Amino acid sequence: MAAASKTSAVPIPTDAELLQAQADLWRHSLYYLTSMALKCAVELHIPTAIHDLGGNTSLPDLLAKLNLPAAKLPFLRRIMRLLATSGIFASDNNAEVETYRLNPISWLLVEGIEAEDHTYQKFFVLSTNSRHYVEAALSLADWFKKDLPLPTPSPFEVLHGVPLLDENTSLLDEELDQIVEQGVAAHDNLAGGTIIRECHDLFKGVESLTDCCGGDGKTARAILKAFPGIKCTVLDLPKVIANAPDSDGVNYVAGDMFKFIPPAQAVLLKVVLHLWNDEDCVKILQQCRKAIPSREKGGKVIIIEIVLSNSMGPIMYESQLLMDMLMMVNIRGRQRDENDWREIFMEAGFTDYKIIKKIGARGVIEVYP
Ligand SMILES: C[S@@+](CC[C@H](N)C(=O)[O-])C[C@H]1O[C@@H](n2cnc3c(N)ncnc32)[C@H](O)[C@@H]1O
């Protein structure tokens, strides 16, 4: 009886719905092949080859440029057809000769372009599709079943025995460690210039700023260029600061943000907090609070991070949720929605916050003491 009533509660799909469901299931089960085709295109340097061919190419010309065997032409066509359908290249299949062009996504994968807004994303693709990341994702169900100690280690950490983005990651695989480092840098630096241009008011009137976890100072230098009056300090770990430039006008401080953040009117945390769990974020924000003056004196923390929300449409939201899965599978951090952010701000002793702007998948948040 119970089984019968359960069945009746589920509407039986129509024939049309079943056929659509089957096609959708193919798509969802096989999306990894799109990722692998993208990885293959990057490894074969296809975006750079199309760029060198003038940004638009026929398949035979592409094959010749890539120095691939003639017998691979039909296979190249199949990969390019999928990648164009997925939006990674543009194509003109109605023309007499089938051609493929760069679009903004593939433009990000062209090597050797010198442009302020071109941040080469090859290593983001290679790291996120590396064997170690994929194996960690394959272990998800096993990880769910394990009763693990708190704070919960990631599937990557449990499977591979070392955390990602850790000084011990290179012991697991030196090449992976380097690819990940470059992948993270590519991820962090994309749209840095856009953010400064679009959020001009964020830095207006700010006399001093500490870029907490500011790495090699790229962001601080860009802020200094746009606002020469700001006294900029970068805080990062000693091994990072050891490689900081000598005289670029930025003050570099080696240290641990959990212990001390150099005081300034504003502290910037650009794509940092998603790497940490909530407890650690509260500790970091408490240190930020100690480093800034009162709100009346212009004290604020500026956070640039994903703010999960479906308000920008399902595709942007799916990108944000996939970035959250990337965190869940590989490190202890997470992406957060506005409620999650509010909770950790209040927990850290802040009184108010404002989402100043949404820029692409990310939000710019000011948090006030
Ligand atoms: C994702 S990167 C930050 C990216 C940078 N804010 C940007 O926008 O380009 C994380 C940085 O945090 C630094 N870091 C990690 N733990 C730290 C700590 N306890 N104190 C200071 N810096 C730390 C790392 O060395 C690394 O440079």
Side-chain angles (χ1 to χ4, degrees):
M1 281 300 283
S5 66
K6 250 188 201 168
T7 311
S8 65
V10 180
I12 296 172
T14 61
D15 285 351
E17 283 170 338
L18 274 180
L19 293 171
Q20 183 61 49
Q22 186 186 36
D24 288 341
L25 200 58
W26 288 349
R27 244 173 353 104
H28 291 294
S29 300
L30 299 175
Y31 266 145
Y32 75 95
L33 289 174
T34 307
S35 304
M36 293 305 142
L38 171 61
K39 180 174 191 270
C40 168
V42 166
E43 287 173 338
L44 294 178
H45 308 282
I46 289 177
T48 308
I50 298 180
H51 179 261
D52 293 350
L53 288 164
N56 190 15
T57 182
S58 68
L59 285 171
D61 286 351
L62 180 60
L63 190 88
K65 179 81 186 164
L66 297 171
N67 270 326
L68 297 175
K72 292 288 167 39
L73 184 66
F75 302 99
L76 183 63
R77 174 165 186 263
R78 287 157 72 181
I79 280 223
M80 292 304 288
R81 190 172 57 182
L82 173 69
L83 290 175
T85 303
S86 306
I88 291 160
F89 293 100
S91 69
D92 196 353
N93 293 335
N94 296 326
E96 222 164 84
V97 180
E98 186 177 333
T99 56
Y100 289 90
R101 284 177 279 119
L102 293 179
N103 65 10
I105 301 182
S106 31
W107 186 74
L108 287 174
L109 300 167
V110 175
E111 289 142 282
I113 292 186
E114 293 295 328
E116 199 187 333
D117 290 332
H118 177 274
T119 310
Y120 182 41
Q121 295 296 306
K122 168 180 167 175
F123 290 103
F124 180 79
V125 175
L126 294 186
S127 56
T128 52
N129 290 291
S130 65
R131 178 175 68 77
H132 293 89
Y133 278 47
V134 173
E135 284 174 358
L138 289 170
S139 77
L140 250 180
D142 285 340
W143 173 84
F144 263 101
K145 289 180 215 153
K146 285 192 172 107
D147 201 1
L148 295 161
L150 293 173
T152 309
S154 70
F156 182 103
E157 197 174 333
V158 172
L159 183 75
H160 297 304
V162 290
L164 189 66
L165 296 176
D166 184 89
E167 55 193 23
N168 290 322
T169 314
S170 62
L171 300 177
L172 171 68
D173 190 308
E174 187 103 27
E175 193 190 347
L176 172 80
D177 190 46
Q178 284 177 13
I179 290 175
V180 170
E181 202 172 290
Q182 293 178 79
V184 170
H187 162 269
D188 295 347
N189 288 324
L190 187 62
T194 315
I195 292 168
I196 293 170
R197 273 193 301 279
E198 298 249 329
C199 299
H200 212 250
D201 287 353
L202 210 56
F203 305 104
K204 230 193 234 165
V206 171
E207 286 166 14
S208 57
L209 176 131
T210 295
D211 186 4
C212 180
C213 296
D216 66 358
K218 196 168 182 169
T219 304
R221 280 193 295 281
I223 294 171
L224 202 54
K225 195 172 160 203
F227 300 90
I230 301 184
K231 187 170 164 272
C232 277
T233 299
V234 163
L235 171 77
D236 210 294
L237 296 173
K239 65 173 183 174
V240 177
I241 296 299
N243 298 318
D246 273 343
S247 53
D248 61 357
V250 174
N251 173 34
Y252 288 91
V253 175
D256 177 355
M257 65 177 158
F258 287 97
K259 297 194 175 127
F260 173 74
I261 294 177
Q265 197 177 20
V267 172
L268 173 66
L269 286 165
K270 174 169 161 275
V271 286
V272 171
L273 294 178
H274 69 277
L275 299 173
W276 301 94
N277 64 27
D278 288 357
E279 294 72 29
D280 285 335
C281 282
V282 169
K283 288 182 198 154
I284 295 165
L285 286 166
Q286 283 169 336
Q287 290 299 336
C288 289
R289 199 168 179 277
K290 286 188 205 160
I292 56 172
S294 66
R295 185 174 183 173
E296 294 67 41
K297 292 188 175 152
K300 62 182 176 183
V301 178
I302 302 167
I303 294 174
I304 300 173
E305 284 283 0
I306 285 177
V307 179
L308 294 173
S309 161
N310 58 12
S311 63
M312 279 177 294
I315 293 183
M316 192 62 99
Y317 191 41
E318 188 182 17
S319 301
Q320 295 179 328
L321 294 179
L322 287 170
M323 290 301 283
D324 183 49
M325 278 297 108
L326 185 68
M327 299 302 115
M328 181 170 136
V329 171
N330 295 295
I331 58 169
R332 298 183 183 195
R334 57 181 290 218
Q335 308 294 350
R336 298 176 170 88
D337 64 22
E338 188 174 344
N339 285 336
D340 300 324
W341 283 118
R342 185 187 306 109
E343 258 174 46
I344 61 171
F345 298 156
M346 298 306 138
E347 180 80 28
F350 288 86
T351 60
D352 199 7
Y353 72 96
K354 191 171 166 193
I355 299 179
I356 302 290
K357 196 163 188 140
K358 297 245 170 106
I359 294 203
R362 297 193 180 121
V364 178
I365 315 173
E366 278 190 350
V367 193
Y368 311 108

